[in-house]
Amino acid sequence: MNERISGQTLTERVGVEPVNDHNFPLLITATIRPHAGQIGRLLDPVTRRRQYAEALRSLAARSCGIKEFVFCENSGEPFPEFPSIQELFSRKDLVLHFFQEQLSSPDKIPGKGWGEGWLIRRVLETNPVLRRARAFFKLTGRYEVVNLKAVVACIGRAYSDPTAHPVFVCQSYLMTSRGPYVDSQFFWSQTEFYKQNLIDVYTKVDDHGGVYLEHAIASGLHALAGQCRIGVLPFTIILKGVSGHSGELVTNRGQRFRMMVSNITRKKSGITYLAPLCTDC
């Protein structure tokens, strides 16, 4: 049921077309060669590089409302397929950038989420595309978001409405035995919000201790509950790809149940749910 705002639904106020008029870029994180000691089954750099290439080619072929993409890699491993993939994006009037910065001591980092969080920080601090962006989408590199167009449209409409205007949007927010947890494979954030509140949370990651980037980001958001608009999407993000942790195909089995739990959890945590703002996405 649509929420009425000043006698109008959100659709009536800001339209129904997919919108990314603000030109928010998509930041794609990657580690082609995992560091020594990284937990996970998918560790072969050749296989990982092939999967990153396949995901990027699929993204180039998908109309999603995003015009600018930044592929970010933190192992320093060569990616010879990139120029031809970049040309695919160019043919679609899209721009694909390459950002690579190697971890100085990859063997000493406490987890792959630590390396990913560090990479996001370095991109936001140094890359001109992200530095000028008011907000950005983030996607783990070997995954595709099948319904990305709907996700972009939903967040774009909410951002365009002054009564909604979230600062961070994710798929789910859960309370677990280890504390709050959010899915970090894909999220959207206003850039300044991330820089001020989440840019250092990766330093709390300890894969061997069971503390992942999902826990670290969620803890940062939990501390801000009730102070700002943190959104949870009203529908399931459909992911396609291979998990680096399990080495298995990613499926959405069980995600709808998790969304139901998330809807209950957010009432206790103060997290603002995005569903009433975008029920027709």
Side-chain angles (χ1 to χ4, degrees):
M1 182 174 66
N2 278 333
E3 180 184 19
R4 305 298 296 188
I5 305 174
S6 301
Q8 293 179 303
T9 65
L10 182 67
T11 298
E12 292 166 341
R13 293 188 63 188
V14 298
V16 297
E17 292 301 315
V19 286
N20 186 21
D21 295 338
H22 311 284
N23 295 317
F24 302 138
L26 174 60
L27 187 163
I28 305 164
T29 57
T31 302
I32 295 175
R33 181 177 292 277
H35 63 84
Q38 176 171 313
I39 296 175
R41 296 182 179 178
L42 185 55
L43 302 176
D44 176 54
V46 175
T47 300
R48 292 171 68 94
R49 193 185 76 204
R50 174 177 53 79
Q51 291 172 348
Y52 286 127
E54 289 173 354
L56 285 173
R57 292 188 186 104
S58 178
L59 188 59
R62 192 181 301 280
S63 175
C64 64
I66 298 174
K67 297 296 184 183
E68 201 161 17
F69 306 78
V70 183
F71 181 83
C72 314
E73 204 281 329
N74 67 1
S75 73
E77 191 75 5
F79 192 16
E81 296 90 343
F82 188 81
S84 62
I85 295 172
Q86 194 174 40
E87 177 62 25
L88 289 178
F89 276 76
S90 181
R91 292 174 191 168
K92 298 284 187 176
D93 292 324
L94 306 173
V95 181
L96 175 65
H97 304 273
F98 185 70
F99 178 93
Q100 188 172 53
E101 186 163 339
Q102 187 173 0
L103 289 158
S104 57
S105 300
D107 295 342
K108 297 180 180 179
I109 70 171
K112 60 185 179 64
W114 195 102
E116 183 178 30
W118 174 87
L119 182 61
I120 294 171
R121 175 177 184 163
R122 294 299 298 149
V123 174
L124 292 178
E125 289 178 340
T126 64
N127 182 266
V129 176
L130 273 299
R131 289 185 65 180
R132 69 171 181 261
R134 286 173 291 174
F136 64 96
F137 299 93
K138 179 269 173 187
L139 174 65
T140 298
R142 288 188 318 282
Y143 296 146
E144 301 172 44
V145 179
V146 177
N147 56 340
L148 183 57
K149 186 174 183 178
V151 175
V152 170
C154 184
I155 295 173
R157 286 197 288 269
Y159 181 85
S160 298
D161 190 284
T163 64
H165 206 66
V167 295
F168 187 95
V169 179
C170 56
Q171 167 161 291
S172 66
Y173 178 94
L174 304 171
M175 292 301 295
T176 72
S177 60
R178 295 184 181 274
Y181 179 100
V182 300
D183 285 322
S184 66
Q185 297 100 328
F186 180 91
F187 62 79
W188 172 94
S189 179
Q190 289 194 35
T191 307
E192 283 306 309
F193 173 81
Y194 194 94
K195 287 182 176 179
Q196 293 176 19
N197 299 287
L198 300 175
I199 200 164
D200 290 325
V201 297
Y202 72 92
T203 59
K204 301 176 182 178
V205 170
D206 179 7
D207 280 6
H208 293 280
V211 180
Y212 305 125
L213 186 61
E214 290 86 350
H215 299 110
I217 292 176
S219 294
L221 296 174
H222 186 73
L224 299 166
Q227 301 177 37
C228 48
R229 284 191 166 273
I230 299 168
V232 179
L233 284 167
F235 54 85
T236 301
I237 292 176
I238 303 173
L239 291 176
K240 178 183 177 183
V242 180
S243 167
H245 181 78
S246 66
E248 299 176 352
L249 288 174
V250 173
T251 68
N252 288 84
R253 185 178 301 170
Q255 288 193 18
R256 292 192 182 278
F257 173 76
R258 292 170 64 193
M259 288 293 288
M260 292 171 61
V261 175
S262 176
N263 194 15
I264 298 171
T265 302
R266 56 98 185 176
K267 294 178 181 177
K268 297 180 179 179
S269 67
I271 297 297
T272 301
Y273 193 50
L274 201 57
L277 305 176
C278 197
T279 54
D280 49 6
C281 292

